[in-house]
Amino acid sequence: MDMFEIEGARPLRGTVRVGGSKNACLPLITAALLSEEPTVLRGVPNLRDIREMIGLVRHLGARVEYANGRLEIDPSGFQADSVPYEIMRKMRASFYAMGPMIARLGRAKVSLPGGCAIGDRPVDLHLRGFHALGVRMGRSAGYVLARHEGLTGTRLSLLGTNGTSVGATCNVLMAAVLARGTTVIDDAAREPEVIELCNFLNSMGARIEGVGTSRLRIDGAERLHGTDWEVCSDRIEAATLAITVLITHGSAVLENVPREHMESALFALEQWGAELKWKGPRALSVHRGRGTKRPLQIVTEPYPGFPTDAQPQLTALLALTPGYSAIRETIYAERFMHVPELKRLGARITSPERGRIEIAGTGALEGAAVMASDLRAGAALILAALAAHGTSQVRRIYHVERGYERLEEKLRALGARIRRVPESEEDPGMTEPPAIVEEVDSSAIVVDGGPPVTPARTMGS
Ligand code: EPZ
């Protein structure tokens, strides 16, 4: 296993290109199974999750060719009706196979995904949607079994206790496009990844109206044809790169930014004090800007609210912003695994209640060894390490490789000192006592939680 060794406190400068969206691409790959004809996807990022998804559709019988971002899927051999635990445990988005299996094969046996580092992630809404379309469902030995004699359009809601669901909306859509009659999905997720899937399906001959709204109306089609599709660029990668530039006091132009998908993230960064200027329809100049930076109060919400997938990265930025910030996470109340690791770098963050953190911003972080627990937590740690004084080691970077294509290369091109080194399992221990360069009052060493944080000024989104 490799880790990143990062020498921080260097401003990142230059130009960097945002790649194709991982989360938009994953359902498109399984949606290609809805036709019997080949489909071509372009701009597909070469990521671990994408390669897992390719493995899954191959397992289901599709022939796939993938080179230089061009992915061709020939689904004519699609016949397998089961997704085993061995595949599901590697990537929960494998559950996206269920909609096409139900629609094309009339049956499915799919391993239930378990929880993951960001919390309990149920699939009840997916199953509720399939059931409403006429699918009979059972559960056995960790698998969900589905069967039907014909999908029938209906009206259904996909509202859960945590709001709307991207995954359930995509999965149910994929079944509904081949159902008999009209389906109306109320409380559909409005995320750009759902819009992308709707437009993609329409390009295959599906009839979906209300795209981008919370009510989707689908007139079922007899069959779909293949298509040729350019995948939209990744709004979360764009937000991550923008925050990287800001946190390192740098200045850069981000190319291929999906402007229409970024409003709330960019609004928050502007509230913070960033200077953001469009240099063209998709080129964004990112500059830290003059003057003091403002702490923020942020609430993560379904689109168009501030995205949970950029929350850990923003936490890193706010940890370095003097003043008191707060973040309430409404999508995944447990998504704060990056916090204890950021504290190892010197961040002062407390969690007064489940789903909320308060950040007492400090002027500087100090390099340390930290460990990624998931994709975005890993990104946050890399950002913080790039800003911290001294050297950091970020371990378990395989999480980061699931969702950021050539991140190391992109950061290096911006001037980062980052290198990949093998993780050594052994801690060499202390050969001689460290030299104490500065005596500190032990009460100033924050061990757990940091000092109490007073409420932040209301700022941002
Ligand atoms: C997608 O996950 C993304 N994954 C996640 O990105 C992202 O964090 C999430 O949407 C929210 O934007 C992919 O696109 C592959 P949800 P998904 O269904 O579809 C609850 C990343 O870092 N819920 O919109 O699984 C759920 O627990 C990843 O790239 C139910 O209660 O998310 C959550 O609180 C991590 N029942 C909320 O809804 C269900 O049946 C939203 O989840 C489904 C979801």
Side-chain angles (χ1 to χ4, degrees), residues 172-188:
V172 175
L173 253 176
M174 289 190 272
V177 287
L178 290 180
R180 199 168 351 104
T182 300
T183 302
V184 175
I185 303 180
D186 285 318
D187 308 304

Side-chain angles (χ1 to χ4, degrees), residues 42-367:
R42 297 173 196 274
V44 176
N46 187 356
L47 297 169
R48 241 183 67 199
D49 277 10
I50 297 291
R51 294 191 294 272
E52 299 288 0
M53 195 54 111
I54 291 172
L56 168 63
V57 293
R58 281 197 177 124
H59 159 84
L60 296 175
R63 284 218 323 261
V64 183
E65 282 174 29
Y66 180 41
N68 305 321
R70 181 185 182 278
L71 180 65
E72 181 161 355
I73 303 164
D74 173 358
S76 52
F78 171 34
Q79 269 184 346
D81 60 359
S82 143
V83 179
Y85 176 64
E86 275 315 299
I87 290 182
M88 186 62 69
R89 75 182 176 83
K90 290 191 197 145
M91 187 182 61
R92 50 180 305 112
S94 308
F95 210 68
Y96 276 142
M98 192 154 178
M101 285 163 97
I102 285 174
R104 284 278 316 280
L105 309 177
R107 59 187 188 278
K109 178 181 176 190
V110 181
S111 167
L112 283 163
C116 73
I118 62 175
D120 180 25
R121 296 176 68 186
V123 289
D124 56 308
L125 297 172
H126 303 233
L127 304 184
R128 189 208 286 178
F130 294 139
H131 180 74
L133 292 171
V135 181
R136 284 181 291 128
M137 243 145 349
R139 190 176 291 215
S140 168
Y143 282 77
V144 49
L145 313 173
R147 183 172 283 277
H148 65 87
E149 275 77 49
L151 292 173
T152 311
T154 185
R155 183 165 189 166
L156 60 104
S157 158
L158 289 179
L159 191 63
T161 44
N162 284 354
T164 53
S165 161
V166 174
T169 306
C170 290
N171 229 346
V172 175
L173 253 176
M174 289 190 272
V177 287
L178 290 180
R180 199 168 351 104
T182 300
T183 302
V184 175
I185 303 180
D186 285 318
D187 308 304
R190 293 186 290 156
E191 267 69 3
E193 295 75 22
V194 177
I195 297 177
E196 182 83 349
L197 177 65
C198 290
N199 291 334
F200 173 80
L201 290 169
N202 281 344
S203 82
M204 295 174 82
R207 293 176 301 230
I208 306 170
E209 287 173 17
V211 177
T213 74
S214 53
R215 176 172 300 163
L216 298 173
R217 181 193 154 101
I218 306 119
D219 286 320
E222 194 68 16
R223 61 175 49 83
L224 300 184
H225 51 77
T227 188
D228 193 319
W229 190 261
E230 178 82 32
V231 178
C232 66
S233 53
D234 195 316
R235 64 189 174 114
I236 305 300
E237 185 191 358
T240 305
L241 290 171
I243 297 172
T244 311
V245 173
L246 299 173
I247 202 172
T248 60
H249 294 244
S251 161
V253 174
L254 312 190
E255 293 177 342
N256 199 30
V257 176
R259 182 174 187 162
E260 63 282 17
H261 302 159
M262 306 251 345
E263 210 171 308
S264 59
L266 297 186
F267 179 75
L269 297 181
E270 276 179 333
Q271 291 295 302
W272 174 82
E275 258 177 36
L276 306 175
K277 284 200 193 99
W278 290 99
K279 297 280 179 189
R282 306 183 81 72
L284 179 67
S285 149
V286 180
H287 194 279
R288 192 173 162 100
R290 290 170 204 276
T292 28
K293 301 303 147 202
R294 290 180 286 268
L296 301 176
Q297 290 230 321
I298 293 289
V299 179
T300 64
E301 283 171 328
Y303 191 82
F306 188 88
T308 173
D309 292 347
Q311 176 267 110
Q313 301 89 313
L314 189 74
T315 304
L317 181 69
L318 296 177
L320 272 165
T321 305
Y324 296 104
S325 293
I327 296 183
R328 190 153 68 81
E329 172 66 67
T330 71
I331 314 288
Y332 300 113
E334 315 292 338
R335 194 178 205 173
F336 290 117
M337 298 286 283
H338 47 291
V339 167
E341 299 298 303
L342 287 174
K343 285 198 213 167
R344 291 179 55 75
L345 298 165
R348 296 183 299 162
I349 305 174
T350 55
S351 180
E353 57 183 304
R354 187 171 174 266
R356 181 180 162 87
I357 54 169
E358 294 178 346
I359 305 162
T362 159
L365 297 177
E366 195 192 344

